[in-house]
């Protein structure tokens, strides 16, 4: 019965979105609230089955993130290593991620977690879970968060998607904190109105400071066009300009970018961990690596690849990875989906995948 209700509600939601002039706004919002309720019930029921998760093979380690708001099923990690510590707990590792149990977007709202060793994570005492509240009276989600620490101030950027009777608004928002507990109000730094079927923009942002200038990369696709990576530049993290499409040299034919993370390697050389779609297999994503020496405009593909199922993890698909190049072991965090559609988070020393990286 729950499945029938969910599908009927889904049909009503699609009708309300496609024909906003026919469905009064009050009724549309009631449908969206019902949809969110169905989504919660669906994810909870799937979690309650308690399917056994495959044990990963060393040196890959599985993370316990059951402290988060989405039943411990999380994707899109972004991790910082802070040797001197941050916040009242002097935490040396900071993470943001988004729950996504069974792919339910209602839960896809940024979390903020802390750790002393990069393995055992928790919501800081007095912190929020999730950090960003889910949408209430309309459909949408808050995805793709990243962290940037500058002069003792921690920035969290995330992508907000909101659908209304006029279409969709996709925004890149920014929060700030000095302790990981009290955060500023959101500031919108980029925003675009789109058709409801054309929202694959501003995906998976990544920001790096190079010689006092900030560079922002993200994935973007206009309707009917391929996915590409673009780069913006800024002096203050607020005003972005110099919009350019980057070049991915050597990427296999028909391989499309999906979600990325970029970090400084040495001497301003950059390394990208790219969750990509091989030959149109959107449900079979993997992670590839590229490097750049010109501030991230031209990239060179590395032959090493992290496929789904490697180390007995993520047999169904992988997701966005996070590079932590300044940590003692140079770590790579990433999520994987098993054959029961459950997401888990893992970490592995990067040298096990890219032995040439020092």
């Amino acid at each position: 019965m729950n499945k029938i209700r969910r599908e009927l509600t889904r049909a009503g939601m699609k009708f309300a979105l496609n024909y906003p002039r026919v469905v009064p706004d009050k009724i549309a919002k009631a449908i969206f609230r019902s949809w969110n309720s169905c989504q919660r019930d669906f994810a909870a029921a799937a979690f309650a089955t308690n399917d056994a998760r495959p044990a990963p093979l060393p040196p890959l380690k599985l993370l316990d993130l059951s402290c988060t708001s989405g039943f411990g099923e999380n994707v899109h990690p972004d991790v910082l290593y802070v040797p001197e510590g941050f916040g009242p707990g002097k935490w040396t590792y900071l993470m943001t991620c988004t729950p996504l149990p069974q792919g339910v977007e209602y839960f896809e709202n940024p979390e903020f977690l802390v750790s002393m060793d990069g393995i055992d994570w928790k919501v800081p005492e007095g912190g929020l879970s999730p950090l960003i509240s889910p949408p209430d009276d309309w459909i949408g989600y808050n995805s793709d968060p990243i962290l940037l620490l500058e002069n003792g101030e921690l920035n969290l950027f995330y992508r907000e998607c909101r659908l209304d009777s006029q279409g969709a608004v996709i925004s890149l928002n920014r929060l700030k904190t000095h302790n990981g507990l009290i955060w500023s109000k959101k500031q919108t730094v980029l925003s675009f109105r789109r058709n409801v079927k054309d929202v694959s923009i501003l995906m998976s942002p990544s920001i790096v400071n190079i010689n006092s200038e900030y560079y922002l990369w993200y994935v973007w696709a206009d309707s009917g066009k391929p996915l590409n990576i673009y780069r913006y530049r800024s002096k203050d993290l607020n005003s972005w300009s110099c919009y350019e499409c980057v070049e991915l040299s050597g990427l296999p034919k028909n391989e499309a970018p999906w979600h990325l993370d970029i970090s400084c390697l040495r001497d301003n050389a950059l390394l990208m961990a790219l969750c990509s779609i091989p030959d149109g297999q959107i449900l079979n994503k993997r992670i590839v690596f590229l490097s750049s020496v010109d501030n991230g405009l031209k990239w060179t593909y590395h032959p090493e690849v992290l496929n789904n199922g490697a180390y007995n993890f993520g047999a169904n698909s992988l997701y966005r990875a996070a590079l932590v190049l300044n940590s003692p072991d140079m770590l790579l965090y990433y999520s994987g989906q098993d054959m029961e559609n459950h997401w888990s988070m893992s970490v592995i020393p990067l040298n096990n995948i890219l032995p040439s990286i020092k």
Side-chain angles (χ1 to χ4, degrees):
M1 187 66 184
N2 286 338
K3 186 174 181 181
I4 295 174
R5 176 192 167 211
R6 184 168 182 260
E7 293 308 311
L8 288 173
T9 306
R10 185 205 298 270
M13 181 188 69
K14 288 184 175 180
F15 185 85
L17 289 172
N18 289 327
Y19 302 99
R21 296 180 180 179
V22 177
V23 182
D25 188 59
K26 191 173 182 179
I27 294 177
K29 288 182 177 181
I31 294 173
F32 296 154
R33 283 195 294 270
S34 179
W35 171 249
N36 285 335
S37 176
C38 287
Q39 292 285 74
R40 286 193 298 269
D41 294 346
F42 172 74
F47 181 77
T49 61
N50 198 26
D51 301 312
R53 311 293 172 86
L57 300 176
L60 190 76
K61 293 182 179 180
L62 202 62
L63 304 182
D64 179 3
L65 301 184
S66 56
C67 58
T68 62
S69 60
F71 312 119
E73 295 192 36
N74 299 274
V75 298
H76 206 286
D78 198 61
V79 181
L80 297 183
Y81 173 63
V82 188
E84 67 277 15
F86 177 83
K90 292 295 181 183
W91 307 298
T92 50
Y93 287 87
L94 312 174
M95 177 194 287
T96 184
C97 61
T98 55
L100 197 66
Q102 295 289 303
V104 174
E105 291 175 344
Y106 179 83
F107 289 96
E108 195 174 4
N109 304 288
E111 303 271 357
F112 177 68
L113 308 174
V114 297
S115 174
M116 298 304 296
D117 60 5
I119 302 297
D120 295 317
W121 293 88
K122 65 179 182 178
V123 176
E125 187 175 353
L128 299 174
S129 175
L131 181 61
I132 312 298
S133 298
D136 180 23
D137 58 354
W138 64 88
I139 201 71
Y141 51 89
N142 304 296
S143 67
D144 301 5
I146 58 171
L147 298 173
L148 179 69
L149 183 61
E150 292 279 284
N151 301 317
E153 182 176 74
L154 183 65
N155 297 267
L156 187 147
F157 292 83
Y158 69 96
R159 176 179 177 268
E160 179 184 67
C161 178
R162 291 290 181 267
L163 278 64
D164 57 31
S165 59
Q166 304 302 313
V169 176
I170 312 299
S171 304
L172 181 65
N173 296 333
R174 176 190 183 191
L175 305 179
K176 296 180 286 186
T177 183
H178 287 93
N179 59 14
L181 303 176
I182 301 173
W183 295 80
S184 68
K185 292 183 179 180
K186 75 175 183 181
Q187 171 196 1
T188 298
V189 295
L190 290 168
S191 186
F192 302 88
R193 178 165 283 283
R194 311 288 286 183
N195 182 285
V196 294
K197 298 179 181 179
D198 194 17
V199 297
S200 296
I201 66 171
L202 283 181
M203 295 195 301
S204 191
S206 186
I207 298 175
V208 174
N209 184 340
I210 304 175
N211 296 328
S212 299
E213 185 169 20
Y214 300 99
Y215 292 80
L216 163 66
W217 295 266
Y218 55 88
V219 178
W220 182 294
D222 287 311
S223 182
K225 295 183 179 180
L227 293 158
N228 282 297
I229 299 174
Y230 292 87
R231 189 191 71 175
Y232 266 128
R233 298 166 70 170
S234 175
K235 293 291 186 180
D236 58 7
L237 292 175
N238 295 316
S239 301
W240 297 90
S241 60
C242 301
Y243 171 86
E244 297 175 276
C245 184
V246 311
E247 177 184 327
L248 305 179
S249 177
L251 193 69
K253 185 179 180 181
N254 297 328
E255 187 125 1
W258 183 243
H259 280 43
L260 59 89
D261 184 39
I262 293 172
S263 184
C264 281
L265 187 58
R266 57 183 175 273
D267 300 326
N268 290 335
L270 299 172
L271 182 67
M272 178 195 299
L274 175 64
C275 178
S276 61
I277 306 169
D279 203 21
Q281 301 177 58
I282 186 65
L283 300 179
N284 191 24
K285 295 180 285 292
R286 61 180 188 169
I287 296 171
V288 301
F289 301 89
L290 302 98
S291 56
S292 172
V293 293
D294 68 348
N295 295 346
L297 195 55
K298 295 182 180 180
W299 295 85
T300 301
Y301 176 78
H302 288 250
E304 295 90 347
V305 173
L306 184 58
N307 286 307
N308 57 306
Y311 302 99
N312 198 36
F313 179 77
N316 201 30
S317 183
L318 301 184
Y319 211 87
R320 196 253 197 191
L323 295 160
V324 191
L325 300 183
N326 69 326
S327 63
D329 293 326
M330 298 182 69
L331 300 173
L332 182 78
Y333 291 82
Y334 65 102
S335 288
Q337 186 184 52
D338 64 24
M339 301 308 291
E340 301 297 327
N341 296 326
H342 293 296
W343 289 100
S344 300
M345 190 86 73
S346 65
V347 61
I348 190 171
L350 185 61
N351 284 333
N352 286 88
I353 304 167
L354 286 177
S356 61
I357 299 296
K358 302 295 183 184

